[in-house]
Amino acid sequence: MRIGVLTAGGDCPGLNAVIRSVVHRAVDNYGDEVIGFEDGYAGLLEGRYRGLDLNGVSGILARGGTILGSSRLERDRLREACENAADIARDFGIDALIPIGGEGTLTAARMLSDAGLPVVGVPKTIDNDISSTDRTFGFDTAVGVATEAMDRLKTTAESHQRVMVVEVMGRHAGWIALESGMAAGAHGICLPERPFDPGDLVKMVEERFARGKKFAVVCVAEGAHPVEGTMDYGKGEIDLYGHERFQGIGTALAHELERRLGKEAKPVILGHVQRGGTPTAYDRVLATRFGWHAVEAAHRGEFGRMTALRGTDVVMVPLAEAVTELKTVPKYRMDEAESVF
Ligand code: F6P
């Protein structure tokens, strides 16, 4: 069998672990040939690829990013790819394509699969917002980075009697904010799923200071919005990929709290540091398992599906199911963290 693999969308710790696992299982166990397309679907459309053998994936398990490069694909180019799906498979002689990516990549994977390309998807995203898998690799690493950052910020905040507003990633789903906020013991958590009232945060900080606590940490997801009319914060325009441009909620909220409290409030934007660097052990294991199962599925001819974690098992689910809705933070998870909202 000749298997093509690509990584698309925002990068994520664990991508290299999947690539390595695919190559090991396919080459070692089945004697397959594996080729890696460069820079996501762009490499597929432009015919940029290279052979991947055991030596080529040696030493990459613990490395962040992706050795293949990644990119996002504009809708028009995706349509072009779908129209040429059969030619693509024939031109590259591939019997299976394994795209590793988030919601956008898997939507594209589904379209390519519907157009006739033999596709087995592997979900990835630090946001953990893909509905049909309990977890995506990369999330554990991102939560760890954000938690450590808040642990560190607490000691400096306390020394200077400051409020720290820590902005973490999460456009529509606040999983990183929820779990890192809980793990770090943040005093306030703001999620995209539930508009927040800055007045509640002001009250929380004032109560803390009244109890002799001289600092506070608020964890805010980049996609969080204030309740309408509670503070000056607009909606961003829509970018090329259909995403709302962020307006910088961390900075806006820190300024708002400083103004209302008369105390120093500093924004800390964690940004892409959450996605960089070495994956945690958990993410390496999950990524490795996903790679193994993707190759197995390809050999069973189970196309149009993707790997998913259900409990502790890796199963195959239809790509269609994976991209119908985003997995957002449910109310019961917010209730569990209520004391810090
Ligand atoms: O989807 C993963 C993610 O890291 C989001 O949390 C974030 O909003 C987005 O990607 C950032 O993308 P970019 O790399 O284009 O800045």
Side-chain angles (χ1 to χ4, degrees), residues 27-47:
V27 173
D28 247 3
N29 195 61
Y30 291 106
D32 291 339
E33 188 188 347
V34 182
I35 59 171
F37 292 99
E38 290 168 359
D39 307 328
Y41 288 113
L44 185 73
L45 289 178
E46 293 156 16

Side-chain angles (χ1 to χ4, degrees), residues 10-11 72 124-127 129 169-171 176 222 246 272 275:
D11 74 341
R72 293 201 160 90
K124 68 89 222 181
T125 166
I126 64 163
D127 295 345
D129 60 359
M169 282 186 166
R171 178 179 291 281
I176 298 175
E222 62 188 351
F246 292 124
H272 294 82
R275 274 189 2 206

Side-chain angles (χ1 to χ4, degrees), residues 188-190 196-206 218 253 257:
I189 301 176
C190 307
F196 66 90
D197 184 341
D200 293 340
L201 295 167
V202 167
K203 214 180 325 148
M204 175 276 291
V205 175
E206 279 172 343
V218 175
L253 180 59
L257 293 180

Side-chain angles (χ1 to χ4, degrees), residues 4 44 70 83 97-98 168 209 221 227 231 236 285 288 293 316-317 334:
L44 185 73
S70 190
E83 280 157 21
L97 177 71
I98 302 181
V168 298
F209 275 70
V227 173
M231 77 181 239
V285 172
T288 300
H293 282 272
M316 300 305 297
V317 299
M334 297 188 208

